[in-house]
Amino acid sequence: MSHVPITDNIYWIGLNDRQTSLFESIWPLPYGVAYNSYLIKADKNVIVDTVKDISPERYLDQIRAVIGENATVDYLIVNHMEPDHSGCVRLLRDYFPNMKVLGTRQAVRFLNNFFGITENVERVNDNDTLDIGGHTLHFLTAPMVHWPETMMTWEATTGVLFSGDAFGGFGTLSGGIFDDQVDLTYYENEILRYFANIVGKYADNVQNAIKKLKESNLDVRVVASTHGPVWRDSPETILDLYDRWSRQETEPGVLLTYASMYGNTERMMEAVAGGLYEAGLDTVLIHDASTTHVSYLIRDAWRYSGLILGAPTYDRGLFPPMQYFVDYLEHKNLSGRICGVFGSSGWSGGGVKSMLSTAQNQEWEVAPPSPEARCAPSEEDLQQCYQMAGQIAKRVKESAS
Ligand code: FEO
């Protein structure tokens, strides 16, 4: 896909990445990812954020296609310095040596630390503006969404908000780039997976940015993030999703994540699942922590109010794939969940105790009992699983009403 006009004089000049298998070398990209870069063609030509350095020639071709062979780029706005967006800063500086680079105080530092770029760099502050002839850019700092230097840039004539990582998501833009052209059901899953894993840790900062946007009364007509679709038809949809997710507002349902070495914990999981359905809860997702990448577990834990964890003891502690998951849940500060815990053990316990400890640390509401079977589950263990599931279903339904 080449450059795409967004609105008057503003173009998408991003790249789709279908080669990188792990974003940040952690998060799987089964559907790829887009690095959105934007170009405003005015008296002064301005690029807002660059792209990862996966295809520099193509990136330059897209810029040339908009401004022509002989024109220059006058300004580069750096909303965010993570290399998936700053990867072509050096390239642009080499091609357009007089181009001025604008960013926050921390961005100025990162430009030096990453690329040794110190000349023709200018710091911008919150609420500064830049008139580029027919368009005026307003800068709004948005620290820790997702790095300390992050800011957003709003263009006054068109109402386009260049929001950086905020309001972004995984998935390439194949064919269409706008919210009214793509399958939003598919994108919402990948946007939530992106939010929960990349930005969710900074949910309070996302809230601050949203509050700032509301208080500034800016007329946001288009939301143009650095990843995912450009929202021109319904920008309020993505603003609302990020608002709800960053407040950790949940949907009524349960993520039931389990792991099992020899089928004993799996039998307990089936008793739990049966109890949930019997109690009338039909939104239940079951994931095996051993075979499901943690990014999907985090996504669905973020989505639902109920969270049930089941795993065996391993080396007197929690089974490692489940440990990895619960460590991430703590790291991401997941809060306010209705939780249940179960597991099995051989010669020593430890797994259930460890999961309960996480639940206590996160101040989740724990539904009793928390059965831990010795080797294979007894009828009583299975009954307790069933009983715990009923409690959780009841609380999940109550919390939704
Ligand atoms: Fe898409 Fe924080 O970079």
Side-chain angles (χ1 to χ4, degrees), residues 314-350:
Y314 194 90
D315 287 344
R316 294 194 170 88
L318 181 57
F319 188 63
M322 183 61 79
Q323 185 70 60
Y324 188 53
F325 175 42
V326 298
D327 284 349
Y328 258 115
L329 291 175
E330 282 200 76
H331 177 72
K332 302 291 181 191
N333 287 328
L334 193 84
S335 64
R337 296 307 188 270
I338 300 159
C339 179
V341 168
F342 63 95
S344 62
S345 64
W347 68 93
S348 84

Side-chain angles (χ1 to χ4, degrees), residues 143-373:
M144 298 315 299
V145 188
H146 132 244
W147 280 13
E149 86 294 359
T150 44
M151 68 173 186
M152 297 189 270
T153 301
W154 177 74
E155 199 289 300
T157 308
T158 57
V160 176
L161 178 72
F162 303 102
S163 59
D165 280 350
F167 316 120
F170 292 134
T172 56
L173 299 170
S174 304
I177 72 163
F178 297 105
D179 58 334
D180 50 291
Q181 295 175 320
V182 300
D183 177 357
L184 289 179
T185 309
Y186 149 76
Y187 274 102
E188 188 178 321
N189 277 324
E190 281 297 86
I191 293 170
L192 176 54
R193 193 165 67 91
Y194 175 86
F195 171 85
N197 288 283
I198 310 297
V199 187
K201 167 84 176 160
Y202 310 105
D204 289 347
N205 304 88
V206 174
Q207 272 296 299
N208 290 340
I210 290 172
K211 189 162 169 256
K212 187 184 237 182
L213 273 178
K214 283 181 181 159
E215 287 174 352
S216 63
N217 282 322
L218 298 179
D219 175 21
V220 175
R221 278 171 267 157
V222 178
V223 171
S225 170
T226 44
H227 301 288
V230 174
W231 299 77
R232 67 176 177 187
D233 183 57
S234 180
E236 60 278 7
T237 296
I238 190 65
L239 294 170
D240 181 57
L241 283 174
Y242 259 66
D243 184 26
R244 286 199 279 120
W245 293 335
S246 57
R247 281 188 281 107
Q248 298 218 25
E249 191 178 304
T250 54
E251 299 170 28
V254 167
L255 169 64
L256 168 49
T257 300
Y258 79 102
S260 185
M261 285 186 283
Y262 297 106
N264 291 307
T265 311
E266 185 182 12
R267 283 180 59 204
M268 299 176 82
M269 177 276 290
E270 285 175 348
V272 171
L276 291 170
Y277 285 110
E278 189 65 30
L281 198 71
D282 49 12
T283 305
V284 178
L285 269 184
I286 300 172
H287 285 314
D288 182 343
S290 295
T291 56
T292 309
H293 190 274
V294 72
S295 65
Y296 296 91
L297 307 180
I298 296 285
R299 177 194 65 188
D300 294 328
W302 210 282
R303 189 193 298 273
Y304 294 120
S305 52
L307 175 66
I308 305 181
L309 308 170
T313 292
Y314 194 90
D315 287 344
R316 294 194 170 88
L318 181 57
F319 188 63
M322 183 61 79
Q323 185 70 60
Y324 188 53
F325 175 42
V326 298
D327 284 349
Y328 258 115
L329 291 175
E330 282 200 76
H331 177 72
K332 302 291 181 191
N333 287 328
L334 193 84
S335 64
R337 296 307 188 270
I338 300 159
C339 179
V341 168
F342 63 95
S344 62
S345 64
W347 68 93
S348 84
V352 164
K353 188 174 163 199
S354 174
M355 290 184 283
L356 281 173
S357 162
T358 296
Q360 278 158 8
N361 291 344
Q362 296 306 112
E363 299 181 351
W364 297 334
E365 174 188 334
V366 179
S370 303
E372 183 166 39

Side-chain angles (χ1 to χ4, degrees), residues 31-75:
Y31 312 107
V33 66
Y35 310 118
N36 296 337
S37 171
Y38 302 95
L39 200 162
I40 309 168
K41 189 179 178 191
D43 291 353
K44 301 291 183 189
N45 293 322
V46 177
I47 289 180
V48 183
D49 290 313
T50 74
V51 291
K52 191 177 173 185
D53 57 350
I54 54 170
S55 189
E57 288 304 322
R58 187 160 170 202
Y59 184 55
L60 279 175
D61 285 348
Q62 293 182 170
I63 294 168
R64 287 289 180 214
V66 176
I67 65 173
E69 283 303 316
N70 299 317
T72 191
V73 172
D74 300 285
Y75 291 100

